[in-house]
């Protein structure tokens, strides 16, 4: 695990090779610095030029940035375009037969779709959706396995101006139901099931269960893609098989032009309160940044094979699977399975088989693959690799070095990309043909991105110090609002403590003397488990929702070698505090409960039972104390205000 000491003592620097610099889209530090200066000199002009050169506009915009209703910024808002047109139609004349998606199924079966295929499939599904009455501005929930069809589903929505909300296939029926209600979805696109690691996982039955929970009556159509062939219930009048829905549909579908601010998608993510936030993204600004970061950070070249391993249920799968790679016209790999099936060489074999040039994954995957087979990459021919990427959580220098030397053969720059669901795309990251790398640092902000580190009152702490990460100027792909809750948007991201002026990322960070950023982790009650965001309050709410068993619960994170952080729950039961087998049995029950309420990723790794929780006189749970207990640290805090210090001994007992 990365410790503060190992990070602070990091002195290794890895400059890009001359060959890398020479061939790069942004070539050398001077080029990067010139772009930063240009953005500083003429902020709006910088963005306007890029937006005109990069996107295909149906109606050109005249105003670049509207700050009149800050922090509800508007970018290019009087321009009109369509995201799916920008991703597909633009390639029809120039490279219709180029492979857009090379899909590898869990069992290794390969399916390819060219840009022309993808275009026709998107158009047919878009026509089917239209036929079902889905219109511009309607919300469609997508609950799909990794597949060509998942990309089609998202782009078909974009094509007709419907706003999609993808829910990760590992989330529970309850999560689906909550999101259907919050987004006001009128249609759902799903599959019968999916295969992962040789196992079949049901999806449609989860949708049925979500309906059974109630409140989903607004959904009048469910489209079901047949993936596993398992028997599923189809409700007449509501459920349609995908293949039936598209069967007689025309192969073309005129795109619905929307203004640049039109919501392309809503993606739910965890915040510091119990209720997930529907992060709303725009069409124009979002797509612009997806394309620019593909070119700048992944240095996309016409013959590249790009592979981002993220699921489309996360923002990384939105920007760097569905939209970015298609808009820039690259060939990408989409993978259904897991990195360790049939063995821990799967990623390396796929890189070899498909001659992947740019590979983008998460530190948690890297750590698990180091554990499973540190020498495995050497058995494969990974010479096609040019750039490696990392996302989702800080990458510890040890894992960085392994990725760099063993996977990249010490010749591939690692782009450690810091960003969030809310930022739409990379914000702080190295450029492969410019930035000298330091293991564990996401280096410097991209041109046009104005980041800083401030103290609690919003004042800059200066170079070489730590504090709170903020973004001082708006950027095109930023979150526009929280769906249906603009007040929460303002409070969460533009709080008054920072004069309401800076975007608060929710991360702690520091810079070194060279201005290199290091992310220290969340400063709010959000955990990062295997690169997935989870709110501690969300898990607490789920636990206490078990009103038969649970009286009270507090959830904290603790460091974990494999998953970065692990969920640790302190639980007070309604009955007596259980011990021995009884405690194990109830812990198992509670884990299953959380899986049902939220999803398996939120399942507490540790569960500890107490007669009570440590509280202050005013009744506040002393979470800092719980964090120390969870880590196994000795307690140095003042505990004199505790109601009942004896419970600390109980809570120290891990099952
Ligand atoms: C893209 C994504 C966002 C949070 C973010 C931060 C952490 C992401 C990181 C990183 C250090 C990186 N994070 N990338 N921390 N280095 N390269 O992951 O979005 O799921 O919204 O998570 O993840 O804490 O605030 P999201």
């Amino acid at each position: 695990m990365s410790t503060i000491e190992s990070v602070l003592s990091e002195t290794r620097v890895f400059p890009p090779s001359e060959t890398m610099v020479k061939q790069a889209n942004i070539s050398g530090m001077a080029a990067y610095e010139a772009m930063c200066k240009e953005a500083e000199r003429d902020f709006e002009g910088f963005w306007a030029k890029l937006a005109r050169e990069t996107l295909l506009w149906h109606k050109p915009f005249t105003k670049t940035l509207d700050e009149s209703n800050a922090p509800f910024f508007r970018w290019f808002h009087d321009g009109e375009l369509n995201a799916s047109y920008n991703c597909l139609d633009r390639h029809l004349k120039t490279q219709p037969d180029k492979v857009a998606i090379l899909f590898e199924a869990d069992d290794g079966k390969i399916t390819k779709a060219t840009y022309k295929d993808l275009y026709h499939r998107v158009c047919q599904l878009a026509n089917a959706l239209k036929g079902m009455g889905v219109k511009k501005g309607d919300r469609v929930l997508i609950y799909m396995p990794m597949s060509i069809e998942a990309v089609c589903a998202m782009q078909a929505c974009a094509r007709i101006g419907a706003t999609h909300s993808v829910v990760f296939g590992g989330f529970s029926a309850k999560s689906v139901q909550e999101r259907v209600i919050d987004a006001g979805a009128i249609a759902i696109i799903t599959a019968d099931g999916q295969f992962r690691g040789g196992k079949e996982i049901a999806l449609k039955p989860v949708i049925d269960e979500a309906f059974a929970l109630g409140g989903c009556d607004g959904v009048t159509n469910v489209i079901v893609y047949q993936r596993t062939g398992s028997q599923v219930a189809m409700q007449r009048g509501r459920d349609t098989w995908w293949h039936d829905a598209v069967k007689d549909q025309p192969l073309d579908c005129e795109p619905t032009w929307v203004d640049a601010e039109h919501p392309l998608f809503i993606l739910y993510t965890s915040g510091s309160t119990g209720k997930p936030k529907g992060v709303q993204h725009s069409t124009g600004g979002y797509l612009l940044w997806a394309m620019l970061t593909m070119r700048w950070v992944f240095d996309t070249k016409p013959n590249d094979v790009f592979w981002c391993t993220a699921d489309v249920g996360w923002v990384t799968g939105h920007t760097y699977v569905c939209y970015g790679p298609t808009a820039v016209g690259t060939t990408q790999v989409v993978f259904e399975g897991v990195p360790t099936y049939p063995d821990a060489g799967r990623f390396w074999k796929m890189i070899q088989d498909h001659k992947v040039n740019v590979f983008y994954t998460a530190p948690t995957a890297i750590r698990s693959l180091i554990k499973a087979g540190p020498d495995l990459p050497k058995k494969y021919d990974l010479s096609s690799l040019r750039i490696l990427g990392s996302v989702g959580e800080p990458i510890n220098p040890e894992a960085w070095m392994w990725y760099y030397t063993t996977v990249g053969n010490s010749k591939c720059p690692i782009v450690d990309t810091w960003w969030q669901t809310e930022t739409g795309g990379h914000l702080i990251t190295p450029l492969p043909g410019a930035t000298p790398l330091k293991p564990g640092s996401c280096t410097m902000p991209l041109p046009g991105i104005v980041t800083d580190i401030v103290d609690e009152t919003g004042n800059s702490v200066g170079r070489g110090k730590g504090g709170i990460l903020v973004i001082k100027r708006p950027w095109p792909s930023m979150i526009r609002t929280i769906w249906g809750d603009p007040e929460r948007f303002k409070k969460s991201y533009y709080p008054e403590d920072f004069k309401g002026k800076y975007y608060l990322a929710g991360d702690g960070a520091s810079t070194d003397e060279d201005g290199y950023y290091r992310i220290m982790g969340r400063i709010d009650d959000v955990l990062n488990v295997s690169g997935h965001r989870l709110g501690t309050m969300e898990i607490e709410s789920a636990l206490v929702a078990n009103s038969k068993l649970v009286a009270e619960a507090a959830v904290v994170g603790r460091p974990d070698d494999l998953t970065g952080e692990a969920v640790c729950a302190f639980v007070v039961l309604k009955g007596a505090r259980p011990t021995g087998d009884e405690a194990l049995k109830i812990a198992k029950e509670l884990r299953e409960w959380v899986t049902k309420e939220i999803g398996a990723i939120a399942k507490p790794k540790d569960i500890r039972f107490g007669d009570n929780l440590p509280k202050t006189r005013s009744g506040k749970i002393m979470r800092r104390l719980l964090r120390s207990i969870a880590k196994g640290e000795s307690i140095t805090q003042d505990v004199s205000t505790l109601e009942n210090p004896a419970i600390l001994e109980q809570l120290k007992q891990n099952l």
Side-chain angles (χ1 to χ4, degrees):
M1 262 318 291
S2 107
T3 58
I4 300 259
E5 294 76 66
S6 73
V7 160
L8 291 183
S9 65
E10 186 57 67
T11 51
R12 291 167 288 196
V13 182
F14 299 84
S17 69
E18 227 170 276
T19 347
M20 188 62 62
V21 176
K22 229 191 247 154
Q23 59 85 60
N25 294 343
I26 297 182
S27 174
M29 277 311 263
Y32 161 72
E33 278 154 13
M35 290 171 78
C36 294
K37 282 229 173 66
E38 180 54 28
E40 219 175 288
R41 192 186 63 80
D42 177 13
F43 189 70
E44 286 195 35
F46 172 80
W47 289 115
K49 181 164 179 286
L50 288 167
R52 289 196 181 102
E53 286 169 358
T54 310
L55 295 170
L56 301 174
W57 294 92
H58 179 66
K59 181 180 156 231
F61 62 90
T62 61
K63 175 103 185 89
T64 304
L65 170 62
D66 175 4
E67 305 191 71
S68 61
N69 189 27
F72 300 93
F73 300 100
R74 297 198 299 172
W75 286 89
F76 324 116
H77 74 265
D78 62 347
E80 281 179 13
L81 76 170
N82 179 282
S84 156
Y85 182 86
N86 266 274
C87 293
L88 302 173
D89 306 43
R90 71 155 79 210
H91 306 302
L92 291 181
K93 280 216 183 81
T94 50
Q95 47 173 19
D97 300 320
K98 178 171 178 175
V99 174
I101 298 179
L102 189 158
F103 174 70
E104 182 163 321
D106 192 52
D107 65 4
K109 188 167 174 268
I110 311 281
T111 319
K112 292 179 188 176
T114 64
Y115 273 96
K116 195 168 71 200
D117 296 335
L118 203 59
Y119 164 82
H120 288 317
R121 289 163 76 165
V122 166
C123 285
Q124 284 194 306
L125 187 65
N127 285 325
L129 285 167
K130 264 194 197 166
M132 291 171 177
V134 180
K135 296 180 308 297
K136 176 174 164 180
D138 288 339
R139 274 82 56 208
V140 176
L141 188 130
I142 297 176
Y143 191 65
M144 290 282 284
M146 282 302 281
S147 51
I148 296 174
E149 287 70 17
V151 174
C152 288
M154 294 162 80
Q155 297 243 355
C157 291
R159 191 146 194 104
I160 62 171
T163 300
H164 60 69
S165 182
V166 183
V167 178
F168 173 57
F171 276 133
S172 65
K174 181 94 185 300
S175 303
V176 171
Q177 177 227 22
E178 281 168 4
R179 285 155 175 74
V180 163
I181 295 172
D182 191 82
I186 66 153
I188 295 177
I189 306 175
T190 188
D192 47 2
Q194 62 177 326
F195 294 107
R196 279 170 71 81
K199 288 196 220 62
E200 186 176 331
I201 301 161
L203 291 174
K204 175 62 165 56
V206 179
I207 298 296
D208 295 338
E209 222 183 293
F211 275 106
L213 290 170
C216 300
D217 301 336
V219 178
T220 47
N221 281 283
V222 179
I223 297 179
V224 187
Y225 162 58
Q226 194 166 37
R227 168 66 188 104
T228 63
S230 286
Q231 190 83 30
V232 294
M234 296 291 279
Q235 184 174 308
R236 197 186 298 263
R238 187 193 71 190
D239 303 350
T240 315
W241 286 109
W242 177 303
H243 49 264
D244 290 332
V246 300
K247 200 167 48 204
D248 299 317
Q249 297 295 346
L251 292 168
D252 299 287
C253 170
E254 182 63 21
T256 300
W257 306 110
V258 299
D259 67 57
E261 283 296 309
H262 183 73
L264 179 61
F265 65 85
I266 304 164
L267 183 58
Y268 286 85
T269 189
S270 296
S272 30
T273 65
K275 194 172 171 264
K277 311 185 258 204
V279 172
Q280 180 182 320
H281 275 287
S282 71
T283 301
Y286 170 80
L287 199 64
L288 172 65
W289 201 231
M291 293 181 72
L292 289 176
T293 49
M294 282 299 296
R295 289 179 183 151
W296 293 355
V297 181
F298 294 131
D299 200 38
T300 304
K301 294 287 168 353
N303 294 319
D304 271 357
V305 177
F306 174 79
W307 182 18
C308 163
T309 67
D311 192 281
V312 289
W314 312 117
V315 73
T316 308
H318 281 60
T319 311
Y320 302 109
V321 177
C322 181
Y323 291 109
T326 53
V328 300
T330 199
T331 294
Q332 71 171 317
V333 174
V334 169
F335 177 42
E336 182 181 39
V338 298
T340 47
Y341 178 82
D343 58 51
R346 184 68 182 265
F347 274 4
W348 321 130
K349 181 168 187 314
M350 285 179 63
I351 291 171
Q352 168 182 280
D353 290 353
H354 308 310
K355 301 195 170 42
V356 172
N357 306 110
V358 181
F359 178 66
Y360 190 37
T361 195
T364 186
I366 297 168
R367 286 193 301 267
S368 77
L369 292 174
I370 295 176
K371 203 172 163 199
D375 298 319
L376 269 180
K378 297 211 178 90
K379 294 201 179 140
Y380 299 87
D381 177 6
L382 305 181
S383 60
S384 59
L385 287 172
R386 188 173 87 248
I387 296 167
L388 298 172
S390 172
V391 59
E393 53 178 316
I395 177 164
N396 43 305
E398 295 78 5
W400 194 100
M401 285 307 300
W402 181 84
Y403 198 27
Y404 187 75
T405 54
T406 309
V407 179
N409 195 21
S410 304
K411 71 174 177 76
C412 306
I414 296 178
V415 289
D416 175 0
T417 60
W418 176 86
W419 60 296
Q420 311 177 294
T421 304
E422 294 87 343
T423 69
H426 309 147
L427 291 196
I428 309 180
T429 171
L431 294 170
T435 321
L437 307 171
K438 297 187 188 184
S441 167
C442 54
T443 74
M444 282 163 286
L446 287 170
I449 304 299
V450 189
T451 55
D452 199 5
I453 298 177
V454 300
D455 62 20
E456 246 99 65
T457 55
N459 293 314
S460 212
V461 297
R463 235 176 222 200
K465 297 208 181 69
I468 298 162
L469 179 61
V470 296
I471 305 161
K472 290 183 154 174
R473 294 287 284 140
W475 66 102
S477 67
M478 67 188 298
I479 174 177
R480 293 307 195 261
T481 186
I482 292 175
W483 178 260
D485 202 347
E487 267 316 301
R488 190 174 175 199
F489 165 75
K490 260 198 189 134
K491 273 225 285 280
S492 311
Y493 302 108
Y494 285 90
E496 282 310 314
D497 333 11
F498 302 96
K499 306 166 188 107
K501 272 190 356 208
Y502 301 156
Y503 170 87
L504 179 70
D507 278 330
S510 65
T511 49
D512 66 10
E513 264 65 53
D514 301 325
Y516 275 56
Y517 282 76
R518 280 181 201 283
I519 305 298
M520 303 310 219
R522 302 288 305 190
I523 53 170
D524 51 11
D525 294 319
V526 172
L527 305 184
N528 191 326
V529 180
S530 298
H532 303 318
R533 265 166 77 167
L534 294 166
T536 54
M537 298 281 278
E538 213 177 323
I539 307 172
E540 284 170 16
S541 313
L543 283 166
V544 296
N546 189 327
S547 55
K548 249 174 57 201
L549 275 177
V550 179
E552 201 174 14
V555 169
V556 299
R558 65 153 174 82
D560 183 275
D561 281 349
L562 222 50
T563 55
E565 273 190 295
V567 177
C568 186
F570 295 87
V571 179
V572 182
L573 294 182
K574 289 213 163 138
R577 175 175 177 264
T579 51
D581 284 351
E582 170 77 3
L584 288 173
K585 194 181 128 250
I586 298 178
K588 182 163 175 263
E589 206 175 314
L590 290 178
R591 285 196 182 97
E592 277 159 18
W593 174 269
V594 173
T595 304
K596 264 206 121 27
E597 287 284 301
I598 305 173
I601 50 167
K603 209 163 52 176
K605 189 154 189 178
D606 304 346
I607 295 187
R608 298 164 187 240
F609 295 105
D611 290 325
N612 203 341
L613 296 173
K615 287 181 192 154
T616 62
R617 262 185 246 280
S618 61
K620 278 205 186 68
I621 298 172
M622 295 175 74
R623 284 168 197 282
R624 256 184 309 164
L625 250 168
L626 292 177
R627 277 194 277 269
S628 299
I629 296 174
K631 278 191 216 162
E633 287 173 357
S634 51
I635 289 163
T636 51
Q637 292 100 326
D638 175 24
V639 294
S640 57
T641 56
L642 272 183
E643 286 174 12
N644 176 8
I647 56 157
L648 292 183
E649 286 313 310
Q650 290 181 354
L651 294 175
K652 279 185 200 162
Q653 291 168 36
N654 202 1
L655 293 176

